[in-house]
Amino acid sequence: DPKTQWNVGYWLMALLALFMLQTVWQARTVEPVPFSEFEQALAEQRVAEVVIGDTTITGKLKNPDGGKTVIVANRVDVATSEWLDQYQVPYSRAIESTWLRDLLSWILPAVVFFGLWFFLIRRFAERAAAEAAEGGTVWLHDYNLWMVPAVLRELRPDVKIAFFHHTYFPSADTFNVLPWRREIVGSLLQCDYIGFHIPRQAENFVDVVRGVAPLTVLERRNCAPRFLTYGCAVGLDEMTTAIEVHGRRIGLGAHPVGLDVDRIRTILADPRTVERTTQLRGELEGVRMILSVERLDYTKGTLEKLLAFERLLDEHPELHRKVSLLTVCVPAAAEMTVYDELQTQIEQIVGRINGRFSRVNWAPVKFFFRALPFEEVVSLYTMADVMWITPLRDGLNLVAKEFVASQ
């Protein structure tokens, strides 16, 4: 039951967060006792759950009333697990504080984040439920809203729910690492239809569902002629188009996102585009241009691409003054501070490459950290010698389609 899974999962995470915060707070606020006092308590077998840190040793002191209080002492050289063993006191395996810090730095933010995420998901679903017409269709987009169908189905059993994945839906061995995989899959199974870019992603979803619940494949369809079935890394002969789980039928489909070809055709026919392209060709006379267009994101491989280009210039000096990399990197929203470090790394390596290899009349990297008008991007597409697209993981990259259409 998605509702039960939702509530149980939420409260378990909340309790885990409270427990860990309480433990950390107690350890930080307790005044350390002399080590001799701690040693005496150990000798009397009154201390349990001992944790050895870098500078302190912490344990739970058994009280006469049956309760426990935290006891902390400054660590000395003899305070090792071997030293503790001589007292034969039951205690948890010694945990190095560096590992504990890493664990806390991951778990606590994750618990807080997912708690907030679930809260926002419910608010989103409530608003969607209020807006949807009787018997209407609600179309949800991408993994950020994975948990919405579970809440929406509970609030509005009359609506049809469709879901489309813009990002790549991973294989089962990758997806199943998620601790919340059952909750996510249970929510998605409340949909009436789920869309993906290509057949391989739909089959990945079917494999994931098999690991959560028994399913029946209702329909399969040949992938040809619309999709390549061989000669490519993700080709398939057939794909599943409908499954049944717990009595519910869920349709599956592959729908590669397309682009407005007529818009590109109109831009190419515009005299200003012709003039702009001619000017760019004049500025880059005698230099082959490698073009890269992407937004700032870890998945796009921008940093890795720049490192590869630097190595190319290092190992092939004959390409100096003959090849330039022109990169258009669209920045993330200002509030997305998670990308600040990546942006800094990219800017540093661009400066390093140009500082090492530039000449008076040639810069190896031309870097635009801003969004360009689409008309200018199309002009770049038409004159690029190489379109360099390097996603480390991507759903479907429209830049490749735009480049091919422009060419």
Side-chain angles (χ1 to χ4, degrees):
D1 178 14
K3 180 181 178 181
T4 302
Q5 291 178 340
W6 174 287
N7 292 331
V8 172
Y10 183 89
W11 285 111
L12 282 176
M13 287 188 293
L15 288 172
L16 175 63
L18 289 173
F19 171 77
M20 298 185 70
L21 286 172
Q22 180 190 29
T23 303
V24 172
W25 177 255
Q26 286 180 335
R28 285 176 178 270
T29 56
V30 172
E31 189 70 24
V33 301
F35 186 76
S36 59
E37 184 178 330
F38 194 96
E39 186 177 24
Q40 179 63 32
L42 280 170
E44 296 171 359
Q45 298 189 5
R46 293 189 294 113
V47 179
E49 302 175 33
V50 175
V51 176
I52 300 175
D54 291 334
T55 59
T56 61
I57 180 168
T58 305
K60 292 289 185 69
L61 186 64
K62 302 174 185 177
N63 297 328
D65 59 1
K68 294 180 180 179
T69 56
V70 175
I71 180 171
V72 178
N74 291 323
R75 178 175 172 176
V76 296
D77 292 340
V78 295
T80 64
S81 57
E82 292 79 13
W83 170 81
L84 290 168
D85 282 340
Q86 66 177 307
Y87 292 101
Q88 298 181 350
V89 178
Y91 68 100
S92 60
R93 183 177 297 274
I95 304 172
E96 289 297 330
S97 62
T98 51
W99 177 87
L100 185 60
R101 277 198 301 271
D102 291 343
L103 180 65
L104 293 177
S105 67
W106 181 85
I107 288 182
L108 289 177
V111 169
V112 172
F113 169 77
F114 279 103
L116 178 61
W117 183 47
F118 288 159
F119 171 77
L120 295 175
I121 286 294
R122 177 167 282 277
R123 292 294 300 274
F124 188 96
E126 289 170 351
R127 291 298 298 270
E131 294 287 339
E134 185 71 26
T137 299
V138 178
W139 191 10
L140 302 170
H141 288 265
D142 224 6
Y143 68 96
N144 314 75
L145 303 179
W146 266 341
M147 296 303 297
V148 169
V151 185
L152 187 59
R153 180 63 67 198
E154 172 193 341
L155 299 174
R156 290 292 303 274
D158 61 296
V159 299
K160 292 186 181 298
I161 304 175
F163 198 105
F164 185 77
H165 289 87
H166 291 264
T167 48
Y168 194 96
F169 195 90
S171 59
D173 56 346
T174 300
F175 186 91
N176 288 343
V177 173
L178 291 173
W180 300 277
R181 63 186 181 278
R182 292 183 179 276
E183 289 78 8
I184 293 171
V185 173
S187 178
L188 288 174
L189 291 177
Q190 300 305 307
C191 296
D192 297 282
Y193 190 86
I194 305 175
F196 307 87
H197 285 298
I198 58 174
R200 169 63 68 184
Q201 296 173 31
E203 291 304 310
N204 286 347
F205 176 74
V206 173
D207 290 340
V208 166
V209 174
R210 283 196 178 100
V212 173
L215 68 82
T216 302
V217 175
L218 300 179
E219 293 178 6
R220 290 185 65 82
R221 185 176 302 169
N222 290 331
C223 296
R226 188 180 187 193
F227 298 96
L228 291 176
T229 58
Y230 60 91
C232 63
V234 292
L236 292 173
D237 292 327
E238 292 183 329
M239 69 165 288
T240 303
T241 54
I243 59 175
E244 181 179 311
V245 182
H246 300 319
R248 293 198 74 257
R249 176 191 172 96
I250 300 103
L252 306 175
H255 310 281
V257 172
L259 56 110
D260 189 348
V261 178
D262 289 335
R263 181 189 180 196
I264 293 179
R265 186 178 290 114
T266 300
I267 292 173
L268 289 173
D270 190 325
R272 290 173 296 181
T273 302
V274 177
E275 180 182 352
R276 188 184 304 111
T277 303
T278 302
Q279 179 182 351
L280 287 170
R281 285 199 176 109
E283 293 174 358
L284 292 171
E285 185 177 1
V287 177
R288 307 297 293 270
M289 188 182 81
I290 302 172
L291 179 62
S292 169
V293 179
E294 59 223 359
R295 59 183 173 82
L296 181 66
D297 195 293
Y298 296 107
T299 65
K300 301 301 181 182
T302 308
L303 185 63
E304 290 78 4
K305 175 162 37 193
L306 288 167
L307 290 170
F309 187 66
E310 182 180 35
R311 182 173 176 180
L312 176 73
L313 297 177
D314 262 328
E315 298 182 358
H316 295 276
E318 70 275 11
L319 294 178
H320 295 187
R321 302 190 185 193
K322 295 182 180 179
V323 176
S324 285
L325 171 63
L326 194 154
T327 299
V328 179
C329 187
V330 181
E335 61 272 13
M336 295 292 287
T337 56
V338 68
Y339 294 117
D340 288 351
E341 183 179 354
L342 176 63
Q343 178 181 338
T344 300
Q345 292 174 334
I346 290 172
E347 290 171 346
Q348 288 175 344
I349 191 171
V350 169
R352 187 175 76 209
I353 293 172
N354 283 337
R356 290 182 61 197
F357 301 105
S358 286
R359 299 294 183 269
V360 173
N361 59 348
W362 173 72
V365 179
K366 301 178 185 295
F367 193 84
F368 296 86
F369 191 65
R370 63 181 185 272
L372 298 182
F374 189 63
E375 292 78 9
E376 292 186 24
V377 175
V378 170
S379 295
L380 295 175
Y381 285 152
T382 60
M383 58 172 296
D385 297 287
V386 175
M387 188 75 221
W388 198 7
I389 305 170
T390 59
L392 308 179
R393 175 70 69 178
D394 219 342
L396 187 143
N397 198 303
L398 283 181
V399 173
K401 287 190 172 187
E402 292 170 353
F403 174 73
V404 171
S406 299
Q407 287 284 322

